[in-house]
Amino acid sequence: MASMMRVFLILLWTMSLVQPNVPQAAEVQVFPPVNFTITVSALAQVLLHWKPNPNQERKNYTIRYDVKILSPVPEEYDTKKTHSIRTAALHNGFSAHIRTLLLHNDLQMRSDWVKEKLPPPPGAPETSVTNLSCVTRITISSSVSLHCTWLPGRGAPEDTEYFLFYRYETYTEECQDYFKDKWNRNTECRFSVTHIDPEEIDKLIVIHINGSSKYAAIKPFQQLFNQNAIEKVNVPRNVTVFLEQNDLLATWEKPISPFDKECFEYEFYLFNLKSGNKQILKISSNDFQLPIDVTSRYSIQIRANHHICCTRGFWSDWSEIIYVGQNKLENSVAWILAVLCASTLLVAIICK
């Protein structure tokens, strides 16, 4: 009994020493932020803004804010600022929660959440475009072209006219070059030159398509694309193929691109015209050596894609076909037939 009393007194004494060094959480109230708003600041971009609660005690405390994006893409982060910019497709709306985070040494206290949402834009169901697909290319002049295609919504009236805009960072532009379907509706757009920077890595391209009709309100549609993921890589240049004894040697230059040659990988397509065998070999350098059957003739093509430096794009088209080698059996047969024809002709002349 005496030992238990001693343990109790020791614990009581320890608590009396520690307690004065711990902030009194029960005495501090944590108030949620005020005037929380969500506004559209650009195509597929929102500004989240709030103010500190005027009743919040600040002495000896660090104030931060927890932000939780609920839709369209869940995300959580904290910040010491009272505003935040987010890029997201907004055709289905946007919603977020925010709360105050009070910090002091290892102590953390949080307020209740404050909720706010941005409703989706108006429009009749199934009138927005579907199957949106976009491709970029780097031109010889090192500019970037953009080509997008889509299908009209199933609920869109036949007189629906769609209009496409792209946004890259702070620049927004409307399409001026459309292609139409059999009902004369815009279903394709081309920008021969854009403000997309070919040297940037994994930046977002925002595509926004709205529309108009006499019979229905057309619901807009937005989609975000990684600029490198939708790049149709250019074809490798100056492909050279030759034979050296029993080996096939090939060299080429990287595609037109601001990226270094180490940023590309290649597929080497080798087709044996004699046997019908096909091979596709992956290569990460700009040259290649392979033992081959010197009695056969081959066709060769090469294509390229991003590698290591950035997100993979679309494989380039295959290079033009290059032929090497010769089918010696076929050549021998052809030579024999030529000799027979010549002999037959000579005999016919002599007999005549």
Side-chain angles (χ1 to χ4, degrees):
M1 188 70 177
S3 61
M4 291 181 63
M5 182 61 70
R6 282 197 297 272
V7 171
F8 176 75
L9 291 174
I10 291 172
L11 288 173
L12 188 63
W13 177 74
T14 304
M15 289 177 64
S16 66
L17 289 178
V18 174
Q19 190 69 18
N21 297 324
V22 178
Q24 301 298 313
E27 299 176 4
V28 179
Q29 283 187 284
V30 187
F31 295 96
V34 296
N35 298 339
F36 179 32
T37 58
I38 301 175
T39 55
V40 178
S41 52
L43 287 181
Q45 179 178 284
V46 292
L47 170 64
L48 286 69
H49 188 270
W50 60 91
K51 291 183 179 180
N53 195 302
N55 298 320
Q56 185 61 60
E57 179 182 341
R58 290 177 171 80
K59 187 177 180 180
N60 298 327
Y61 291 94
T62 299
I63 297 179
R64 296 181 69 86
Y65 300 95
D66 278 338
V67 181
K68 181 186 288 187
I69 309 299
L70 302 178
S71 64
V73 180
E75 180 186 5
E76 293 187 42
Y77 57 96
D78 68 90
T79 177
K80 64 180 180 180
K81 298 179 180 179
T82 57
H83 65 274
S84 180
I85 295 176
R86 280 296 179 268
T87 299
L90 303 177
H91 56 269
N92 288 324
F94 186 95
S95 63
H97 292 182
I98 187 169
R99 65 183 175 183
T100 304
L101 177 63
L102 213 59
L103 306 173
H104 183 81
N105 295 333
D106 294 331
L107 181 67
Q108 295 187 7
M109 294 174 286
R110 297 174 175 83
S111 72
D112 294 333
W113 290 104
V114 177
K115 306 175 183 179
E116 188 59 53
K117 66 179 181 179
L118 189 72
E126 297 188 323
T127 56
S128 59
V129 302
T130 62
N131 294 70
L132 175 61
S133 175
C134 293
V135 176
T136 62
R137 282 182 181 268
I138 298 177
T139 65
I140 296 177
S141 60
S142 294
S143 62
V144 178
S145 65
L146 174 66
H147 176 213
C148 294
T149 61
W150 60 90
L151 295 176
R154 291 190 301 173
E158 290 187 4
D159 74 328
T160 300
E161 197 73 89
Y162 290 111
F163 307 99
L164 181 143
F165 302 77
Y166 86 88
R167 180 175 70 82
Y168 185 77
E169 296 189 318
T170 59
Y171 185 84
T172 301
E173 183 177 353
E174 181 181 358
C175 180
Q176 302 297 323
D177 187 11
Y178 290 105
F179 296 83
K180 300 179 181 293
D181 65 8
K182 61 182 180 180
W183 290 284
N184 205 37
R185 297 180 295 190
N186 295 335
T187 56
E188 190 173 343
C189 165
R190 293 180 186 272
F191 295 89
S192 57
V193 178
T194 66
H195 282 70
I196 298 169
D197 186 346
E199 297 187 20
E200 288 290 349
I201 296 176
D202 296 337
K203 285 287 184 70
L204 288 177
I205 301 171
V206 173
I207 301 297
H208 172 95
I209 303 179
N210 57 24
S212 64
S213 167
K214 295 178 182 178
Y215 307 103
I218 306 302
K219 188 175 178 64
F221 180 80
Q222 294 180 342
Q223 191 166 336
L224 311 181
F225 294 97
N226 179 305
Q227 73 174 70
N228 302 124
I230 63 170
E231 180 187 334
K232 176 78 171 181
V233 178
N234 286 306
V235 179
R237 297 171 295 163
N238 298 330
V239 181
T240 303
V241 181
F242 57 94
L243 297 178
E244 187 175 278
Q245 296 182 354
N246 294 331
D247 289 341
L248 181 149
L249 284 74
T251 62
W252 57 89
E253 295 180 18
K254 74 177 183 72
I256 295 173
S257 171
F259 296 132
D260 296 333
K261 65 180 183 179
E262 291 80 15
C263 291
F264 296 92
E265 68 173 344
Y266 304 91
E267 286 190 342
F268 190 91
Y269 177 72
L270 184 69
F271 178 55
N272 187 321
L273 298 173
K274 177 181 177 182
S275 66
N277 291 335
K278 301 176 183 178
Q279 287 180 280
I280 296 182
L281 307 169
K282 288 192 178 293
I283 303 166
S284 57
S285 64
N286 287 61
D287 53 54
F288 183 63
Q289 183 172 350
L290 180 71
I292 62 167
D293 176 10
V294 293
T295 66
S296 297
R297 184 169 174 78
Y298 294 86
S299 68
I300 292 149
Q301 291 177 286
I302 301 173
R303 65 178 182 174
N305 203 342
H306 299 149
H307 179 59
I308 297 176
C309 297
C310 60
T311 302
R312 290 171 62 84
F314 297 117
W315 281 97
S316 74
D317 295 328
W318 290 102
S319 63
E320 293 185 3
I321 298 176
I322 297 177
Y323 295 97
V324 294
Q326 56 182 356
N327 193 323
K328 291 187 176 180
L329 177 61
E330 289 180 357
N331 288 345
S332 299
V333 172
W335 183 82
I336 292 172
L337 289 175
V339 170
L340 289 175
C341 289
S343 301
T344 302
L345 180 62
L346 180 62
V347 169
I349 293 173
I350 292 173
C351 292
K352 187 177 179 179

